[in-house]
């Protein structure tokens, strides 16, 4: 079986770093956010360790960057100013059927709004008490910022865990919600 070539690139911003994996057409398969470049690279290796379908190559090895530069520039803009609403082409290559359903439901949350874990469970016709299962699915997402996990908060309006850190979640929410942040989040 021939491996699909994917390209990884580090994107720096004034707030934190990101590591994205994309194909030669600019479709994003993976995006991680953090402060430590070493942690981002180590997590990439862990996340792709069991997948032999993909050959990860440094972005510098991609000859024609005309399509990918657009995606990388948009992602960097999203990191710098999360109040922007950017559209991306993504492909889920990780996750169970349930996790992917949850991630697709997250993609329906409008920019500048929040919802709860229980609301997501109800929309997927699960028991409202399935909030923990929903949280687990959300935590397994491997496409930061674009799949808007940060828009899900606890029913008491508090910010709970976030795969890339609670401070990153607060950063995205404060910029997206603007003046509404204090009313929607405790």
């Amino acid at each position: 079986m021939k491996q699909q070539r994917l390209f990884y690139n580090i994107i720096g911003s004034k707030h934190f770093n990101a590591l994205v994996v994309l194909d030669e057409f600019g479709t994003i398969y993976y995006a991680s956010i953090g402060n430590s470049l070493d942690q981002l690279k180590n997590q990439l290796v862990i996340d792709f360790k069991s997948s032999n379908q993909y050959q990860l190559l440094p972005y510098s090895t991609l000859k024609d960057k005309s399509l990918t530069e657009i995606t990388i520039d948009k992602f960097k803009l999203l990191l710098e100013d999360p109040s922007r609403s950017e559209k991306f082409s993504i492909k889920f290559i990780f996750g169970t059927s349930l996790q992917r359903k949850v991630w697709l439901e997250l993609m329906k949350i409008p920019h500048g709004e929040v919802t709860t874990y229980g609301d997501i469970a109800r929309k997927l016709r699960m028991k409202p008490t399935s909030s923990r299962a929903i949280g687990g699915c959300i935590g397994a997402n491997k496409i930061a910022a674009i799949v808007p996990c940060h828009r899900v908060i606890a029913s008491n309006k508090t910010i709970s865990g976030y795969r890339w850190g609670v401070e990153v979640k607060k950063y995205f929410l404060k910029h997206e919600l603007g003046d509404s942040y204090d009313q929607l989040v405790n």
Side-chain angles (χ1 to χ4, degrees):
M1 170 173 45
K2 186 177 177 183
Q3 292 180 312
Q4 181 180 355
R5 294 169 19 127
L6 297 177
F7 303 90
Y8 64 90
N9 191 28
I10 299 288
I11 299 173
S13 84
K14 59 185 168 190
H15 303 287
F16 32 74
N17 296 303
L19 190 151
V20 296
V21 174
L22 61 167
D23 65 17
E24 67 271 18
F25 305 108
T27 298
I28 293 183
Y29 290 67
Y30 180 93
S32 188
I33 297 172
N35 290 320
S36 165
L37 292 178
D38 287 336
Q39 282 181 330
L40 289 172
K41 290 175 188 175
N42 290 339
Q43 191 61 51
L44 175 74
V45 170
I46 291 167
D47 289 339
F48 277 87
K49 186 177 184 177
S50 63
S51 178
N52 57 4
Q53 298 174 254
Y54 304 100
Q55 179 184 16
L56 290 177
L57 301 166
Y59 185 66
S60 60
T61 65
L62 179 61
K63 288 185 174 42
D64 181 4
K65 296 179 175 72
S66 58
L67 297 174
T68 55
E69 284 295 327
I70 295 166
T71 300
I72 288 172
D73 289 345
K74 282 191 339 183
F75 194 81
K76 186 171 184 171
L77 285 171
L78 178 63
L79 294 178
E80 294 293 336
D81 183 8
S83 67
R84 301 172 59 93
S85 180
E86 299 286 347
K87 298 287 185 207
F88 292 89
S89 174
I90 63 170
K91 183 173 181 183
F92 293 123
I93 58 173
F94 298 101
T96 66
S97 172
L98 176 60
Q99 288 169 337
R100 289 179 181 198
K101 283 180 188 174
V102 169
W103 302 337
L104 288 171
E105 192 62 38
L106 297 179
M107 301 291 289
K108 296 176 186 175
I109 305 169
H111 185 271
E113 293 184 23
V114 293
T115 192
T116 67
Y117 298 95
D119 289 339
I120 297 291
R122 280 187 285 283
K123 287 178 182 174
L124 293 174
R125 296 194 170 116
M126 298 171 66
K127 294 179 184 177
T129 55
S130 300
S131 297
R132 287 185 191 265
I134 296 298
C137 291
I138 291 172
N141 171 39
K142 293 184 178 31
I143 303 178
I146 299 168
V147 176
C149 309
H150 58 277
R151 295 183 189 148
V152 183
I153 60 175
S155 59
N156 65 0
K157 296 184 168 187
T158 59
I159 293 179
S160 52
Y162 187 59
R163 179 181 175 95
W164 297 283
V166 172
E167 290 306 312
V168 174
K169 186 171 185 170
K170 286 180 183 177
Y171 169 81
F172 278 106
L173 285 175
K174 284 180 180 179
H175 283 82
E176 277 192 32
L177 300 175
D179 294 338
S180 301
Y181 178 84
D182 290 331
Q183 297 163 345
L184 298 172
V185 180
N186 288 336

